[in-house]
Amino acid sequence: MFENLNQSYPFNNNFKHNAKTIGLVGMGFVLIVLYFQPFGINFLKSENDGYFVLAAAILCAGTLFSNAVILPGILPTVFDSSKWTIRKELIWNVWLFFNLFIIIALLVWLLRKSQFIDLPVFRTGALALLPLVLFNLINYNHSLKNKVVSVFDTGRQWFKEEQKKHESIPELFLTAENGKDVFTAPQNEVILIHSSGNYVEIYWIEKQIIKKTLFRQTFTIVEKLLNESSDFKKCHRCWLVNMKKVNRLSGNSKGYFLGIDTLDFNIPVSRNYISYIREVFSHQNSRVQLT
């Protein structure tokens, strides 16, 4: 329990906010005391009662201003918002209550000497507690509002980043010759595409699992769709490979092959494309193993 008292707690050092809050507390104090008559106190019996309430509101506002605005400016290290804790907040509230109680008690003694019995210690304390409660409620509401705005801003920023991330990754979108079937996947997840007559075999990764599908579309159409991609290169008349997935190039004049660790077979490279593939690797500063 005592460890929780050392947890951080928001403390507002903003002059404009504190001045506005204290002004609202003063007005709220007058309205509540005069018209709602809390604690069984009727301050509408005479004109002097109204002056008392107005004076109490002004003195309470002045007390809060000196403690919440002036004092933090004099002692910035004590009121450092980054080091403010629940323990400090509780001590601070006790200090504020003590100040407010003394101010109202002195006002009662000065202006209502003959009727002091009508405002005993309990009711004096209740009146001192009212501006403190209003002050904390407004500050808590402001803090809660800032947290909600911060959460929404963080969520909005995350959504924009995710949206931008997805927008930056092009999709491979294929429509079958029948016009009904559709294949779609992020291009960076597609490993290779192999021609198989009027069909193409597509190998891709989905949730870290390699999948394969036979899709009715010509290899020429797929090649045109991926023509602008810098990752997909043709290594054979019927093979398109995502060069970022390739781990090795092996073989000799009798035959060359591309290897991908996640596949259990090699991809043939025709003699017409071997020079081009080597050149691609050299431009990419590839970590591909050449054997």
Side-chain angles (χ1 to χ4, degrees):
M1 176 180 176
F2 292 104
E3 292 180 358
N4 294 331
L5 295 177
N6 294 321
Q7 292 182 3
S8 61
Y9 191 89
F11 181 79
N12 199 311
N13 273 333
N14 186 282
F15 175 84
K16 185 177 179 180
H17 166 74
N18 283 332
K20 181 180 177 181
T21 300
I22 292 168
L24 291 173
V25 168
M27 290 186 290
F29 179 85
V30 172
L31 291 174
I32 291 173
V33 171
L34 287 181
Y35 295 102
F36 291 96
Q37 300 178 10
F39 322 119
I41 308 172
N42 183 3
F43 284 105
L44 294 176
K45 293 179 181 178
S46 67
E47 185 178 348
N48 291 333
D49 290 335
Y51 290 140
F52 171 79
V53 173
L54 182 61
I58 293 173
L59 289 174
C60 287
T63 303
L64 290 173
F65 186 84
S66 60
N67 282 277
V69 177
I70 298 176
L71 198 58
I74 299 173
L75 303 171
T77 54
V78 176
F79 293 91
D80 186 354
S81 58
S82 63
K83 298 178 181 178
W84 199 253
T85 62
I86 295 175
R87 185 192 302 274
K88 290 183 177 180
E89 181 69 16
L90 291 174
I91 296 172
W92 174 242
N93 276 273
V94 172
W95 168 255
L96 287 176
F97 174 75
F98 176 76
N99 279 261
L100 292 168
F101 180 83
I102 294 298
I103 288 295
I104 293 179
L106 286 173
L107 185 64
V108 170
W109 182 76
L110 289 172
L111 300 181
R112 298 170 64 89
K113 290 181 183 179
S114 61
Q115 301 178 31
F116 183 73
I117 191 66
D118 293 335
L119 199 64
V121 174
F122 171 77
R123 292 185 177 181
T124 303
L127 282 179
L129 188 63
L130 178 59
L132 182 61
V133 170
L134 291 175
F135 183 74
N136 279 297
L137 282 176
I138 295 173
N139 275 333
Y140 181 78
N141 181 66
H142 179 75
S143 176
L144 185 62
K145 180 181 176 181
N146 286 341
K147 286 183 179 180
V148 171
V149 171
S150 177
V151 169
F152 274 104
D153 287 342
T154 303
R156 193 180 296 111
Q157 184 65 28
W158 175 85
F159 180 76
K160 286 182 179 178
E161 290 177 358
E162 288 294 314
Q163 190 177 35
K164 186 177 179 181
K165 187 188 298 183
H166 287 294
E167 287 176 353
S168 62
I169 300 175
E171 292 268 329
L172 173 60
F173 185 85
L174 293 176
T175 304
E177 289 184 341
N178 60 15
K180 296 180 180 179
D181 299 328
V182 172
F183 174 84
T184 180
Q187 287 189 18
N188 63 338
E189 299 295 340
V190 178
I191 301 174
L192 63 88
I193 299 170
H194 175 227
S195 174
S196 180
N198 291 328
Y199 291 84
V200 288
E201 289 180 331
I202 305 172
Y203 292 79
W204 80 100
I205 300 173
E206 186 176 298
K207 296 181 180 179
Q208 300 181 341
I209 299 174
I210 296 177
K211 294 190 175 183
K212 171 188 173 182
T213 186
L214 192 64
F215 196 77
R216 186 171 180 82
Q217 187 52 271
T218 63
F219 187 74
T220 304
I221 295 295
V222 178
E223 187 179 0
K224 287 181 180 179
L225 287 173
L226 295 173
N227 186 44
E228 295 181 359
S229 174
S230 59
D231 297 335
F232 287 87
K233 303 299 179 184
K234 194 174 181 180
C235 63
H236 193 278
R237 63 182 179 83
C238 57
W239 291 86
L240 267 172
V241 181
N242 186 343
M243 299 304 288
K244 286 188 175 180
K245 304 294 184 182
V246 176
N247 302 107
R248 59 189 175 277
L249 170 63
S250 60
N252 49 44
S253 57
K254 294 183 180 180
Y256 292 93
F257 300 92
L258 294 175
I260 299 176
D261 289 343
T262 52
L263 295 179
D264 56 0
F265 61 89
N266 291 323
I267 304 153
V269 181
S270 67
R271 293 180 181 179
N272 296 333
Y273 288 95
I274 186 61
S275 298
Y276 172 67
I277 294 298
R278 288 182 181 275
E279 184 181 354
V280 170
F281 287 150
S282 64
H283 284 307
Q284 292 180 346
N285 294 320
S286 177
R287 57 180 176 78
V288 174
Q289 180 183 357
L290 304 178
T291 58

